[in-house]
Amino acid sequence: MTRPKTPAATSQPTPQQLNRITSQLRDLNAAYKAAVANGKPQGGSAPSSKPGK
């Protein structure tokens, strides 16, 4: 496998990108807290207990 010459981790986001990411994180966090408060499992997450054994 080849790796990119400039990994994404080393690039610095612009203030506008940081603001957008921050707002997305706030929205996701609020949605997660609401789902947990309602007792609904999050989509795409594995169940905490494995069926069978």
Side-chain angles (χ1 to χ4, degrees):
M1 277 180 23
T2 59
R3 293 184 182 181
K5 293 181 180 178
T6 54
T10 59
S11 63
Q12 295 295 320
T14 65
Q16 291 82 9
Q17 288 172 320
L18 287 174
N19 287 337
R20 188 186 73 222
I21 292 168
T22 303
S23 65
Q24 289 174 341
L25 285 173
R26 284 189 187 127
D27 292 343
L28 285 170
N29 194 30
Y32 173 77
K33 286 182 178 181
V36 169
N38 291 332
K40 296 180 181 177
Q42 293 294 304
S45 63
S48 58
S49 61
K50 293 181 180 179
K53 298 181 182 178

